[in-house]
Amino acid sequence: MSPALAGVFDGALRLGINYRTQWGANMNRAYNSASFTADGKIAVFSDDFVGFGFNAMYDRSGLGAYQVLDLGFDVNYQKKLSQGRGRLAKDYSQFLIAGAHIGIGQRTVNYDNLR
C-alpha cells in the first residue's frame, strides 16, 4: 500500500492480521505467509492530519526454504484543501497528501535443498 494512504480512513486506529498456508498436503513443505499492519492518524492544526503506519510481513516458500522478512514504517501529512457543501459535506472534503516509507528486508534461501 502507498505510504500516503496510512491513516486515510474514518477512525483513529486500524489493525490487520493475515496468515495463510497452502499446498501443505501436496508438498513436503507448505507455503506460509503472515503479515501484520497498523495505521492511524493524529489531528494537527484545525483540519490537517499526520498519518502513521507500521507493517511486517513474513513468507516461507517450498523446499528451498526461500524466506522473506520485511518491516516498514510509513508517515504522511494530510493537508485539507476544501470542504464540500450540502447535506453530505464532510464526505466530500479534499486533501493533498504526501507520504514517505522506510523499511528493511531480508531474503534467504537454503541452496542445499534445491535440485
Side-chain angles (χ1 to χ4, degrees):
M1 177 169 43
S2 171
L5 293 176
V8 179
F9 60 94
D10 290 333
L13 184 63
R14 173 172 57 183
L15 300 174
I17 298 173
N18 186 28
Y19 176 76
R20 180 181 73 179
T21 184
Q22 65 185 39
W23 300 334
N26 299 335
M27 300 182 70
N28 293 337
R29 184 170 302 230
Y31 286 69
N32 294 310
S33 298
S35 67
F36 172 78
T37 60
D39 67 324
K41 62 185 170 188
I42 299 171
V44 294
F45 304 118
S46 61
D47 292 325
D48 300 345
F49 297 95
V50 172
F52 57 89
F54 169 77
N55 49 60
M57 192 271 298
Y58 172 79
D59 186 40
R60 183 175 178 143
S61 305
L63 294 175
Y66 179 67
Q67 294 182 41
V68 177
L69 176 63
D70 287 328
L71 303 172
F73 297 94
D74 301 324
V75 67
N76 66 39
Y77 188 79
Q78 305 168 22
K79 174 67 179 160
K80 188 172 187 176
L81 298 178
S82 67
Q83 176 70 40
R85 296 190 180 165
R87 189 168 62 102
L88 301 174
K90 76 176 201 170
D91 293 335
Y92 295 105
S93 299
Q94 295 182 3
F95 288 84
L96 178 64
I97 304 173
H101 174 83
I102 187 166
I104 188 168
Q106 178 182 3
R107 312 287 193 265
T108 60
V109 66
N110 183 350
Y111 291 105
D112 294 333
N113 291 344
L114 297 176
R115 296 185 191 151

